[in-house]
Amino acid sequence: MRTPTYVLLSCFAIISVLFSSCKEEESTDPGISNNYVNEWIYGNMSFFYLWEDKIPPKGNLNFSQSPEKFFESVCYRYDKYLRPDGDRFSWIQDNYQDLIASLSGVSSDEIGFEYQLYLMEKGSPYLIGEILYVKRNTPAEAAGLRRGQFFKKVNGTVLTDKNYELLFSLKGNYKIIPLEPVYKGDKTDFVETNEIQLSTVSKYAENPVYLDSIYNIENSKIGYLVYNFFAGDEGDGSMKYDKQLADVFNRFKHNGVTDLVLDLRYNSGGSVLSSVYLASMLTKAFDTKNIFITKKYNKHLTALFEEILIKEKEDNFNYYFTDKILNPKNMVVASLPNIGQELQHLYILTGARTASASELIVNGLDPYMGEFITLLGDTTVGKNVGSFTIEEGNDIYEQNNTNNKWAMQPITFLSTNAFGESGSMAGLAPDIYNQDFIFPKKPLGDRGETLLSKAIANITGFSELKASSQEQSINMKPLASSLDRKAWRNKAYIPAGSLPLFKSQKQ
């Protein structure tokens, strides 16, 4: 069995604070008040929240403060010493439509690439950004930006630890100057290239199926898949991303892939249903009666789902492996191939932001094929809990105040595998530790790319491709990443519409 390693996650809490913004003012929506929204928050959290027994009494709370602050006062937040079992992942948003869209990878103003920010020198306020990957069909891709390039200025402003949030508010045209590293012995200089004019993309829908390849190396056929978050579609019920994922595995199966490298280093979570589909194609012990994960709820939801199970035979506790993709209307839209039984090796590439639904894949498959799975990369975040979206069209109240646009994504269940283990809470330590800190980075899919090269070498037994003389490690301190701001960050969520509506009398 895979043994989790305890990892302190205070850095993620700090990043969350840095990346959040609070609105202190009273709601300006007509017909809505902070008191109304906060009563709604309290009622639903008292019913759905995994830690409902830890919520403060109503008399101890200030119902007139902003919904963001009130939500925080209700949550049983993680503290290393006082609440080591606490909540690190629940959040609230002031527009439920934006929340639902963002969970499907739709962003209002997409800059076109994901990045990592570093402190250039100890004690210095200056930052430098590194491009992790460039998104498809964006001006950034058209302009020739590539993985491994650096930048330190945006619209002529040098980035510091005090102003880097300007990256989060870019809209319309903007400019950056890519930097190329020049190595001089142990010293690295960054040389400016030509300034590039770029523009954000409104309502950009990112496809999580980023790249797939097949490598024929001696007697091995190695499939490679870069999968950057778990989502079924753009939120339109088409399940097009899940179907595309199935198409990739059909190609792997048709071409006789013997080994698979699944790249989840930038995958911080997403839809539980999409994780079920992926796991069903990977498992060696495929059977629709085999449990992938079990969800453990608080006493209120447990009683509700037990009643539904008795009356309607609908199991809302377990997810089983499946051979088909269903849309929100419960109609079959595609079949799922299984290649797990043919695989000799499954290498999963992990990073410091690999989380949630990605960790579900490892934990859920472990009872069936743990000895065939090798984790390569960095220790994962550690998240064994999940959520679903709550807004006034899907809550415990009968009425629906159309002026209440708020939505919550509170943690509502603990996930365990078929052995009853929820080990990912502490983070998953890689079997082969290999941080992705070689610069400049090769393109994803390049056989010489750091983690992929290592995986191929371990599968085939041949030496991994050596780094060129121009590649080396750069001593810079990671500060934050654009990935920390994604709606699916550290989330294993159940998509809206896949559970029954929850209605009861107002509390």
Side-chain angles (χ1 to χ4, degrees):
M1 299 304 298
R2 191 171 302 281
T3 302
T5 299
Y6 183 72
V7 181
L8 296 181
L9 296 174
S10 58
C11 58
F12 285 92
I14 293 171
I15 288 170
S16 296
V17 171
L18 288 171
F19 279 3
S20 64
S21 61
C22 293
K23 300 176 183 177
E24 298 294 328
E25 70 275 5
E26 181 81 9
S27 174
T28 57
D29 289 340
I32 199 77
S33 67
N34 285 348
N35 284 81
Y36 178 90
V37 175
N38 293 338
E39 286 282 358
W40 171 80
I41 291 171
Y42 190 85
N44 281 284
M45 290 289 281
S46 298
F47 188 80
F48 293 111
Y49 194 41
L50 183 61
W51 296 275
E52 54 81 24
D53 57 332
K54 305 291 187 181
I55 292 176
K58 291 185 74 171
N60 295 351
L61 297 169
N62 177 6
F63 281 76
S64 64
Q65 64 185 325
S66 68
E68 292 100 330
K69 284 208 162 199
F70 181 81
F71 183 77
E72 285 302 313
S73 71
V74 171
C75 287
Y76 178 69
R77 287 302 191 191
Y78 168 85
D79 182 278
K80 177 182 175 182
Y81 300 107
L82 300 178
R83 294 175 296 279
D85 61 335
D87 177 10
R88 294 172 296 200
F89 305 106
S90 296
W91 94 99
I92 190 169
Q93 195 162 323
D94 62 4
N95 188 307
Y96 72 91
Q97 292 175 323
D98 289 345
L99 185 149
I100 292 171
S102 60
L103 287 172
S104 299
V106 179
S107 54
S108 56
D109 292 287
E110 174 56 56
I111 67 171
F113 57 91
E114 301 292 359
Y115 55 84
Q116 171 70 54
L117 295 175
Y118 301 91
L119 285 169
M120 292 189 67
E121 296 178 5
K122 185 177 181 180
S124 169
Y126 296 107
L127 306 183
I128 190 167
E130 182 200 12
I131 297 176
L132 299 177
Y133 70 90
V134 179
K135 299 189 179 182
R136 309 297 190 198
N137 304 313
T138 62
E141 182 184 50
L145 290 186
R146 66 182 188 278
R147 169 177 157 83
Q149 285 182 306
F150 293 85
F151 62 95
K152 64 180 180 181
K153 294 180 183 177
V154 178
N155 289 333
T157 300
V158 177
L159 296 174
T160 71
D161 57 359
K162 299 294 191 299
N163 70 6
Y164 68 90
E165 290 187 356
L166 66 89
L167 285 166
F168 314 153
S169 58
L170 293 175
K171 188 172 184 177
N173 295 329
Y174 72 98
K175 296 178 290 187
I176 68 169
I177 301 176
L179 306 175
E180 298 294 345
V182 176
Y183 305 106
K184 300 176 181 178
D186 294 335
K187 181 177 174 57
T188 303
D189 292 329
F190 294 93
V191 178
E192 291 188 357
T193 60
N194 295 328
E195 185 176 68
I196 296 179
Q197 178 81 46
L198 298 167
S199 62
T200 60
V201 183
S202 177
K203 297 190 183 302
Y204 175 79
E206 181 179 358
N207 189 331
V209 186
Y210 187 78
L211 174 70
D212 64 277
S213 303
I214 297 175
Y215 308 96
N216 294 293
I217 304 175
E218 294 296 327
N219 296 322
S220 298
K221 282 196 173 183
I222 303 172
Y224 175 64
L225 171 65
V226 181
Y227 188 57
N228 286 335
F229 61 98
F230 290 80
D233 51 45
E234 296 176 21
D236 56 7
S238 67
M239 315 305 290
K240 69 177 185 178
Y241 298 150
D242 285 336
K243 288 191 288 185
Q244 184 176 342
L245 192 62
D247 289 340
V248 170
F249 278 81
N250 271 314
R251 286 195 295 274
F252 287 162
K253 191 175 184 72
H254 177 76
N255 284 279
V257 163
T258 57
D259 308 272
L260 180 65
V261 180
L262 176 61
D263 195 338
L264 301 179
R265 75 183 89 174
Y266 303 132
N267 192 317
S268 296
S271 165
V272 172
L273 293 178
S274 293
S275 73
V276 174
Y277 296 147
L278 177 57
S280 296
M281 294 186 283
L282 292 172
T283 183
K284 276 186 170 295
F286 179 80
D287 190 314
T288 56
K289 296 180 181 179
N290 283 346
I291 292 174
F292 171 52
I293 63 163
T294 296
K295 305 180 293 290
K296 297 185 182 299
Y297 301 97
N298 68 26
K299 62 184 179 183
H300 304 303
L301 283 176
T302 297
L304 173 65
F305 289 142
E306 285 177 346
E307 181 179 348
I308 292 174
L309 184 59
I310 293 171
K311 290 183 177 180
E312 303 178 18
K313 308 299 183 185
E314 183 176 346
D315 187 350
N316 282 301
F317 293 101
N318 298 304
Y319 279 110
Y320 300 85
F321 294 120
T322 180
D323 57 1
K324 59 182 71 71
I325 298 171
L326 302 177
N327 67 13
K329 296 181 180 180
N330 216 33
M331 298 173 59
V332 177
V333 296
S335 297
L336 292 170
N338 176 272
I339 68 168
Q341 297 175 60
E342 286 83 44
L343 290 181
Q344 298 177 23
H345 302 92
L346 171 58
Y347 276 74
I348 299 180
L349 307 186
T350 62
R353 289 174 176 83
T354 302
S356 199
S358 290
E359 293 168 307
L360 278 185
I361 293 293
V362 181
N363 196 44
L365 289 177
D366 193 43
Y368 305 102
M369 54 185 295
E371 67 274 20
F372 291 94
I373 300 174
T374 301
L375 301 189
L376 193 163
D378 207 344
T379 303
T380 64
V381 169
K383 179 176 180 289
N384 59 353
V385 288
S387 64
F388 45 78
T389 304
I390 299 174
E391 45 87 14
E392 277 218 55
N394 184 26
D395 64 7
I396 64 171
Y397 300 134
E398 292 290 346
Q399 78 277 10
N400 185 6
N401 187 329
T402 58
N403 290 317
N404 183 10
K405 304 296 184 183
W406 289 85
M408 297 182 286
Q409 200 77 27
I411 295 303
T412 55
F413 63 89
L414 170 75
S415 62
T416 63
N417 64 19
F419 287 163
E421 300 168 333
S422 59
S424 66
M425 180 180 180
L428 298 172
D431 301 292
I432 303 172
Y433 186 74
N434 196 332
Q435 286 185 307
D436 193 13
F437 286 152
I438 297 296
F439 305 96
K441 289 180 168 56
K442 283 187 167 61
L444 294 173
D446 188 308
R447 281 183 53 188
E449 191 275 319
T450 306
L451 298 192
L452 177 59
S453 174
K454 186 72 173 180
I456 291 175
N458 277 268
I459 291 170
T460 62
F462 294 105
S463 298
E464 61 188 290
L465 296 177
K466 299 299 182 183
S468 73
S469 60
Q470 293 300 305
E471 293 179 333
Q472 58 181 271
S473 175
I474 299 177
N475 185 25
M476 297 187 298
K477 180 182 178 181
L479 175 68
S481 168
S482 57
L483 296 170
D484 297 316
R485 299 189 68 246
K486 299 302 174 185
W488 59 83
R489 176 180 63 90
N490 302 340
K491 303 293 182 286
Y493 71 89
I494 300 174
S498 60
L499 283 176
L501 294 180
F502 305 101
K503 300 295 183 183
S504 68
Q505 293 184 353
K506 185 172 181 179
Q507 297 181 341

